[in-house]
Amino acid sequence: MTDTNAILLRLSKDESLWAAPLVGALDTLLACADKNIDVDTASVWQFAGKGSQMVCIASYVRGLGVVPATGVLDAVDCPAYFDAMNGHRVLAVDDAQCDPRTKDLTESYLKPNNVHALLDATIRRAGKMVGVLCCEQRNTSRGWGLAEIDMARGLADLAGQLMLISELRRRDQLQSLLLSLAPELGQNHTEKQLAELALKKLVQLFPGIWAAFYRPDPDPGYLQVLSYHAPEAPPAYVNAMQKVHLDSSVLGIAIRERRIVAIRDAGLIQFNQGEQSKALGVVCSIGIPLMHDEVAIGGVIIGVRSQDVIGDDELAAFSLASTSFAVALANARNVHELRHRALHDSLTGLPNRDKLQQDIEHLTGRGSSGSELTMLLLNVKDFRQINDTLGRGSADRLLQQLAERVSAFSRDMGGQAYRLVGDEFAVLVSVGGLVVNSRAQAELLQKIAADPLDAAGLTLILRTRIGVASLPLHGADGYELLRSADTALAWAATDVSGICVYDLLRDTSGPRSLEMVAELRLALENNELTLHLQPKISILNRKLVGCEALLRWVHPRFGNVPPTSFIAVAEKADLMGLLTLWVAKRALQHACELRAAGLDISIAINVSAHNMVDMEFPRQLESLIAQSGLDASALTLEITETVLMSDPDRAATVIADLAALGLALDIDDFGTGYSSLAYLRRLPLKSLKIDRAFVMELTANLQDVHIVRSTVGLAHGLGLSVIAEGVEDEATLALLGELGCDMAQGFGIGRPQPVSDFITWAKQWP
Ligand code: C2E
Ligand code: MG
Ligand code: MG
């Protein structure tokens, strides 16, 4: 065996050669050429695609070793050379600069590079030339020996096999890429996820490339980037990638021609950033259109930067993959559209209630705890009437205009607007949810909504009501936030300002009150409740004649809870029986303390509707009084007209029993209910207590004067004395005296206070 054959055999048996990537393997061959043929440079060239161009894919220079492969040779420019190559296995040219076969190369290549002799071996597949292994001698001409020619031919054959293997491997990769796409594209992706998937797959195959995935821009004629992969690209270049014009991009041509388009080298210059792309090492730009139903719905631009040849196989694979991607993209867009429609209102385009729920959940979800959320819930006063008067069409346009205003307002607030149903809108703001601020926000929104509007030739001013609630102040989660805002909106309907901020203490319905009931039970057990005493005096001689016991609850979290709110809750929860007995017992204890301090006055307690229909109540009170050792006159009961009216007959029976015990009975809040005089006349009462609503503005309101005067007349006519509550100043007290009122109670005389303070107060009362 000749040396040449032995060397080639050894090389072909080297497994690492076959395992290496193509360029690395070719470099090994070139090093071998350098060593055994003793040439100045050696390189491998390959035809790219179907064209006439041959691209250098590996290059070796003596003394330097492997160098970056650059250069393109077009068959059109040197027909003689290509003719000769086609006709021979090896072209051995001793004096290249004078040889007719290489004459076309002389001026453009041989002379500038000082090349004098060439030994070029063709790389063939199925008889056809697919590339060349090229050896060059510089400085002098040279006669090539037989062994050298054999060596070149042998290396070219090996190169051909390596190229074939690499191509098969690449085809394999492409195939598995296509196969792996189907299941991945079957999943529910958003457009962006699809774009990212496409780029990920591309980069897996061609690690050196830059690529960007585009979708049509709202601006016609433009494409906008959805996702891109361009590591190391300068920021300005990346910036210019974000939005490209169809006319100045390879993708534009591809979309026009509805096929994949690849533009190489010089051709790149015509495009947006073409010069710069070339300078950054992009050698080929590929546009892949994504067509669906004859319409371009997106596309990919690939910038090939290495000498990674993207040939026909790759383009064919891209074409196949692009069909699948186009379908998936169209699907994603449809799903997005459907989802959008499910979460938005078709009339105004605003997000709807479902979206609101989602957003609240998102904003209050895990990871975003501590964020404050304020919700303004708005509706239009008398909208039904507007609807009936104007007709549906005009009313709809009105709602659209209102939606724009609400939307603009929420944008300014950094929040989001929603249309819930009909004329109900919501604004959700996720920062600074302070109640103080939110009331001001609501006022502003109300003002904006009240700007005159045109509807059906009329100028209308919309009056709106707004309920406000915030998290975490008014609830634990989004559900409670909505509920609280709803409650506040319901209150706003009867509020003069039309705006209500949710108030936990005012909310006596719904699940919040259940919580309160549980806590109130606990408070009863734990003695968290107390009674404050407020004095009643005789107007004539200013003497202390009695006091009223008023319940107080200091809640561990909410602080002072007003009795009106927790009593309403207790009534609904059937807790009043217990509560009143507790009050009576505690009041009797206080009565003993007062007597010990020399104050022999009656304590009035308030009773509720429940007590007045409870036949057991008189007996229970009787036993409490007996236990206290006091006389029944130590206790007075205040009963409101409303309480009596819930079941007048039964109440009359209970009242008779109570009176029989020796208890004094007063009608509380007189004037606010609807009891009939005939009924009152039948009851064993002691006093009428005029409601503070008629007393507080007495000196300024003549009507109140008439009411008080006639009430006094009426009461005296029935043999009852009269108490005025809510007396805040001396002038009122004096006027009440002139009007014939007997007793008075109010902040102007003394505030409700704990029993010890009350005793101190009484000792210094004139
Ligand atoms: P009420 O029985 O009419 O009690 C009088 C209310 O007027 C008390 O409010 C008292 O603080 C307030 N008041 C007294 N003088 C003045 C004044 O000069 N100016 C003003 N602005 N207010 C004055 P409070 O303590 O908030 O009680 C409110 C209501 O809660 C009571 O009205 C009563 O209906 C109910 N309530 C309080 N304690 C009990 C109780 O133990 N049992 C029952 N069933 N109801 C109670
Ligand atoms: Mg009272
Ligand atoms: Mg009252």
Side-chain angles (χ1 to χ4, degrees):
M1 191 169 16
T2 62
D3 280 356
T4 308
N5 280 348
I7 291 164
L8 288 170
L9 185 63
R10 203 174 332 118
L11 203 53
S12 69
K13 280 164 123 182
D14 179 358
E15 282 179 23
S16 64
L17 183 73
W18 303 100
L22 179 63
V23 175
L26 293 179
D27 288 341
T28 310
L29 296 191
L30 296 180
C32 178
D34 172 54
K35 193 165 157 214
N36 295 294
I37 311 177
D38 188 22
V39 285
D40 292 315
T41 67
S43 53
V44 176
W45 298 65
Q46 182 186 15
F47 275 106
K50 288 200 179 75
S52 58
Q53 287 183 336
M54 234 171 29
V55 178
C56 180
I57 58 169
S59 180
Y60 193 95
V61 176
R62 166 168 308 155
L64 294 176
V66 176
V67 294
T70 54
V72 178
L73 194 60
D74 201 319
V76 179
D77 299 332
C78 36
Y81 172 76
F82 274 90
D83 261 3
M85 292 300 294
N86 263 327
H88 295 87
R89 269 303 262 119
V90 179
L91 195 65
V93 185
D94 297 350
D95 188 355
Q97 296 194 5
C98 303
D99 197 293
R101 293 169 299 182
T102 49
K103 68 175 187 320
D104 299 328
L105 298 171
T106 309
E107 294 305 323
S108 64
Y109 183 75
L110 301 178
K111 276 190 178 163
N113 290 300
N114 203 16
V115 175
H116 284 268
L118 282 176
L119 177 61
D120 287 2
T122 55
I123 301 170
R124 288 176 185 272
R125 187 177 309 160
K128 260 187 72 186
M129 183 168 107
V130 293
V132 177
L133 179 104
C134 202
C135 302
E136 297 170 353
Q137 173 70 42
R138 304 221 163 148
N139 302 322
T140 103
S141 55
R142 162 176 181 176
W144 302 97
L146 226 57
E148 289 162 343
I149 292 171
D150 275 350
M151 177 59 78
R153 184 193 299 129
L155 288 175
D157 284 348
L158 270 178
Q161 286 169 29
L162 286 168
M163 280 154 65
L164 180 63
I165 295 244
S166 146
E167 224 171 278
L168 290 175
R169 254 189 228 142
R170 171 61 56 87
R171 247 178 238 187
D172 210 42
Q173 277 179 320
L174 287 174
Q175 198 113 48
S176 49
L177 163 82
L178 288 175
L179 284 175
S180 73
L181 270 183
E184 288 199 55
L185 288 180
Q187 292 163 23
N188 260 342
H189 289 294
T190 62
E191 275 191 62
K192 176 124 178 105
Q193 286 167 333
L194 278 174
E196 280 161 2
L197 177 66
L199 298 185
K200 190 180 100 188
K201 293 282 173 188
L202 278 171
V203 173
Q204 263 171 20
L205 278 180
F206 312 103
I209 62 161
W210 286 349
F213 197 111
Y214 289 91
R215 57 166 297 163
D217 193 80
D219 199 352
Y222 284 91
L223 297 162
Q224 62 167 245
V225 89
L226 259 174
S227 181
Y228 65 90
H229 172 86
E232 296 149 34
Y237 186 80
V238 168
N239 223 12
M241 275 167 67
Q242 304 301 309
K243 185 167 165 174
V244 299
H245 198 279
L246 278 170
D247 288 345
S248 65
S249 97
V250 62
L251 185 53
I253 302 179
I255 286 173
R256 253 195 319 280
E257 298 186 5
R258 299 174 180 202
R259 65 180 183 89
I260 293 183
V261 169
I263 309 256
R264 291 172 207 278
D265 295 297
L268 291 173
I269 306 292
Q270 54 178 311
F271 295 117
N272 180 32
Q273 305 214 89
E275 291 275 11
Q276 206 188 350
S277 297
K278 274 202 80 172
L280 290 166
V282 173
V283 293
C284 172
S285 197
I286 301 172
I288 308 171
L290 295 176
M291 310 292 296
H292 187 74
D293 282 347
E294 306 279 296
V295 179
I297 57 170
V300 179
I301 298 179
I302 299 176
V304 185
R305 286 170 71 241
S306 60
Q307 284 310 87
D308 233 344
V309 178
I310 293 192
D312 293 345
D313 285 340
E314 284 77 8
L315 294 184
F318 290 164
S319 169
L320 266 176
S322 71
T323 321
S324 314
F325 264 100
V327 172
L329 191 64
N331 265 343
R333 223 163 269 176
N334 278 341
V335 168
H336 178 81
E337 174 67 20
L338 285 175
R339 210 171 273 160
H340 182 87
R341 250 184 265 168
L343 294 176
H344 289 77
D345 163 48
S346 57
L347 178 68
T348 62
L350 286 180
N352 62 14
R353 182 178 277 270
D354 290 340
K355 182 77 168 79
L356 173 67
Q357 295 273 22
Q358 268 190 12
D359 287 355
I360 295 178
E361 266 163 44
H362 179 74
L363 287 166
T364 57
R366 258 181 301 150
S368 55
S369 61
S371 81
E372 285 180 351
L373 263 191
T374 293
M375 178 143 125
L376 310 181
L377 208 57
L378 167 148
N379 69 16
V380 180
K381 195 166 181 295
D382 302 327
F383 186 73
R384 167 170 282 186
Q385 203 183 329
I386 296 173
N387 213 353
D388 291 347
T389 319
L390 295 184
R392 228 200 145 75
S394 301
D396 278 357
R397 276 189 294 285
L398 215 65
L399 287 177
Q400 284 167 334
Q401 294 181 61
L402 179 60
E404 272 167 35
R405 292 179 181 186
V406 176
S407 196
F409 165 82
S410 57
R411 260 199 308 279
D412 289 347
M413 292 288 155
Q416 174 65 52
Y418 305 81
R419 180 178 178 223
L420 306 188
V421 283
D423 60 325
E424 195 168 299
F425 294 84
V427 174
L428 196 64
V429 188
S430 76
V431 276
L434 287 173
V435 185
V436 237
N437 284 345
S438 54
R439 182 163 189 107
Q441 284 179 2
E443 279 165 5
L444 182 60
L445 175 59
Q446 201 179 43
K447 208 168 137 241
I448 290 170
D451 257 354
L453 278 172
D454 284 329
L458 296 169
T459 301
L460 271 182
I461 289 179
L462 290 185
R463 289 198 289 153
T464 53
R465 297 180 288 223
I466 302 175
V468 185
S470 301
L471 285 186
L473 204 61
H474 300 148
D477 53 27
Y479 171 77
E480 287 189 7
L481 176 67
L482 245 174
R483 209 190 62 80
S484 298
D486 248 338
T487 307
L489 180 60
W491 295 340
T494 55
D495 190 285
V496 268
S497 72
I499 294 174
C500 265
V501 177
Y502 180 79
D503 179 359
L504 200 64
L505 305 180
R506 184 176 163 184
D507 190 2
T508 56
S509 61
R512 194 68 50 70
S513 64
L514 288 181
E515 226 175 89
M516 183 116 77
V517 168
E519 287 173 322
L520 188 57
R521 267 182 217 281
L522 264 177
L524 256 175
E525 283 167 23
N526 299 342
N527 265 324
E528 273 169 31
L529 298 173
T530 54
L531 289 182
H532 282 192
L533 304 181
Q534 189 179 26
K536 297 176 184 176
I537 59 161
S538 150
I539 298 180
L540 204 62
N541 58 19
R542 304 282 160 114
K543 266 202 177 136
L544 176 67
V545 290
C547 63
E548 180 176 7
L550 295 159
L551 257 178
R552 294 293 177 258
W553 180 16
V554 183
H555 188 282
R557 258 191 307 150
F558 307 138
N560 272 323
V561 186
T564 37
S565 69
F566 70 81
I567 280 166
V569 169
E571 307 243 26
K572 285 192 190 124
D574 254 1
L575 217 63
M576 275 323 289
L578 264 177
L579 204 62
T580 304
L581 290 179
W582 183 91
V583 170
K585 192 171 173 189
R586 179 60 63 88
L588 286 164
Q589 281 170 12
H590 289 338
C592 292
E593 290 166 63
L594 293 183
R595 272 160 187 72
L599 296 169
D600 194 4
I601 54 171
S602 179
I603 295 191
I605 63 167
N606 295 280
V607 296
S608 82
H610 175 91
N611 306 124
M612 298 319 292
V613 292
D614 179 5
M615 298 302 205
E616 289 297 303
F617 182 56
R619 213 149 326 131
Q620 289 166 332
L621 268 188
E622 186 182 16
S623 92
L624 282 179
I625 294 167
Q627 280 169 31
S628 72
L630 292 171
D631 190 78
S633 64
L635 215 55
T636 298
L637 302 186
E638 291 190 7
I639 312 160
T640 63
E641 290 175 282
T642 348
V643 161
L644 294 175
M645 286 307 115
S646 63
D647 186 347
D649 291 337
R650 208 147 156 193
T653 317
V654 173
I655 282 191
D657 288 355
L658 291 169
L661 292 177
L663 290 163
L665 303 170
D666 294 350
I667 296 295
D668 200 355
D669 300 348
F670 186 77
T672 58
Y674 301 97
S675 52
S676 83
L677 279 179
Y679 175 75
L680 288 183
R681 196 160 51 94
R682 281 203 283 130
L683 302 178
L685 302 173
K686 191 165 162 258
S687 315
L688 285 190
K689 215 171 158 182
I690 302 178
D691 193 75
R692 59 183 179 278
F694 307 108
V695 176
M696 298 194 26
E697 287 164 24
L698 190 67
T699 50
N701 192 330
L702 204 60
Q703 219 168 10
D704 287 350
V705 172
H706 289 313
I707 292 173
V708 170
R709 183 181 286 127
S710 55
T711 306
V712 168
L714 181 103
H716 287 171
L718 290 174
L720 309 177
S721 57
V722 182
I723 310 175
E725 65 174 13
V727 180
E728 296 198 341
D729 50 48
E730 184 57 42
T732 307
L733 191 62
L735 183 50
L736 283 167
E738 282 169 34
L739 293 171
C741 194
D742 306 292
M743 287 167 277
Q745 173 184 351
F747 293 171
I749 299 156
R751 291 200 168 245
Q753 48 200 324
V755 63
S756 52
D757 296 344
F758 179 83
I759 292 170
T760 314
W761 174 89
K763 293 227 162 106
Q764 62 185 33
W765 178 251

